[in-house]
Amino acid sequence: MRANDTGLLEVSGLCVRVPGRRLVEALEMTLNRGEFVAVLGRNGTGKTLSLLTLAGLRQPDGGAIRLGNEAITSLGRQQVARRLALLPQDTDDIFPATVLDTALVGRHPHIGRFRWESQRDYDLARESLAMVGIGDLADRDVLSLSGGERRRLAIAQVLTQSPDVYLLDEPTNHLDPQHQVDTLRIFRRIADDGAGVVASLHDINLAARVADRCLLLFGDGRWEFGTTDEVLDEERLEAVFETPMEAVSWRDRRLFVAGGSRP
């Protein structure tokens, strides 16, 4: 089931707090179809907790979240998982399984109780593995994979889930530069096809390449949300990352270079 077109994910007055700290206060944000939103901030500013809250896995400390036209709290976990996928920062594999079987886990929200995976489910899993460049590893034991291969498998798993909304917590973790760019291109393409993507990133320049809008988290409750061209500038980025930033021109683009710690 597709959510309505007024907004795939709507956030109103959202607060994210930890003991003694207000990380995000009264956030207002809408994720629309066809949109890629990058979340930028220092370590500890609430990026992961915000994504967990948006996914309905953590109770907000204030405010409301709507998935399409329904409050996320009114939906069961399977209903949410059919429409929203979360890629965590890291994934641990405890039990042996094949790469294909691990990718197929993404289809579980769509499979009824006491039912087996269909041929369509297998096809989607294989297509997702091919998208991230590990289609030839389908029969390998997941425990034999390298860190980068395992990260690409985790990405394939959320692709296999085929939701409306993708929440990605540092999706380029453990990936080499080529696969970082390839991964973000995949999700840019998925957004262009009508989904919505929210991704926390540490690389400002990758965010500038793929994101329509950016959410900047300052770690003290403050935030800024706007188009990428509007919010990515030296002054704001220096405030967010607490380090001097310089914008340089390269191939008709702006690149941001960190100048190191403040004296």
Side-chain angles (χ1 to χ4, degrees):
M1 184 175 87
R2 287 280 180 181
N4 67 23
D5 289 330
T6 61
L8 293 174
L9 188 69
E10 299 181 359
V11 176
S12 177
L14 185 70
C15 298
V16 178
R17 300 169 185 155
V18 293
R21 290 186 63 194
R22 300 184 304 167
L23 297 173
V24 182
E25 284 293 305
L27 174 63
E28 302 285 335
M29 185 183 84
T30 299
L31 175 69
N32 297 307
R33 282 194 184 282
E35 190 167 46
F36 191 123
V37 173
V39 183
L40 298 171
R42 301 184 311 282
N43 294 335
T45 54
K47 299 186 300 297
T48 294
L49 288 179
S50 295
L51 289 178
L52 290 174
T53 305
L54 292 178
L57 298 176
R58 179 185 181 277
Q59 186 70 22
D61 298 288
I65 303 166
R66 299 184 71 81
L67 189 55
N69 58 1
E70 298 172 275
I72 198 168
T73 53
S74 71
L75 301 172
R77 287 312 308 169
Q78 186 175 26
Q79 290 176 292
V80 173
R82 287 173 180 165
R83 295 158 58 177
L84 181 151
L86 173 69
L87 176 70
Q89 280 189 34
D90 294 290
T91 305
D92 294 323
D93 298 300
I94 301 174
F95 303 106
T98 68
V99 166
L100 179 60
D101 286 339
T102 303
L104 272 170
V105 171
R107 296 306 299 163
H108 287 182
H110 303 277
I111 299 172
R113 188 177 295 181
F114 309 122
R115 286 182 52 203
W116 295 99
E117 295 90 348
S118 68
Q119 186 59 51
R120 176 60 176 156
D121 295 323
Y122 276 93
D123 290 343
L124 286 170
R126 290 186 183 279
E127 289 170 12
S128 297
L129 292 174
M131 285 177 69
V132 300
I134 56 172
D136 58 334
L137 305 182
D139 296 325
R140 280 262 300 271
D141 188 324
V142 66
L143 298 180
S144 72
L145 299 182
S146 70
E149 289 168 338
R150 184 60 191 89
R151 188 57 172 169
R152 285 188 279 160
L153 175 55
I155 293 164
Q157 190 178 93
V158 299
L159 293 173
T160 303
Q161 194 170 334
S162 304
D164 288 310
V165 176
Y166 293 83
L167 303 179
L168 313 174
D169 195 2
E170 299 186 23
T172 56
N173 261 7
H174 309 299
L175 298 182
D176 58 47
Q178 175 192 341
H179 289 111
Q180 289 181 16
V181 172
D182 289 346
T183 294
L184 294 182
R185 282 176 175 163
I186 288 170
F187 286 105
R188 176 68 263 178
R189 204 159 55 238
I190 286 173
D192 290 339
D193 287 340
V197 178
V198 180
S200 68
L201 298 170
H202 279 301
D203 192 315
I204 301 165
N205 297 309
L206 285 178
R209 289 178 66 173
V210 298
D212 301 293
R213 294 195 284 175
C214 289
L215 173 63
L216 306 182
L217 300 182
F218 294 83
D220 57 3
R222 292 179 299 142
W223 52 272
E224 286 203 41
F225 182 54
T227 68
T228 300
D229 287 340
E230 288 174 346
V231 301
L232 293 191
D233 62 30
E234 292 165 305
E235 182 178 354
R236 288 183 176 89
L237 292 174
E238 284 189 8
V240 167
F241 292 103
E242 295 186 344
T243 189
M245 302 293 297
E246 182 178 356
V248 297
S249 296
W250 182 76
R251 295 187 181 179
D252 299 323
R253 297 174 182 263
R254 282 186 310 162
L255 295 182
F256 293 95
V257 181
S261 301
R262 295 182 186 278

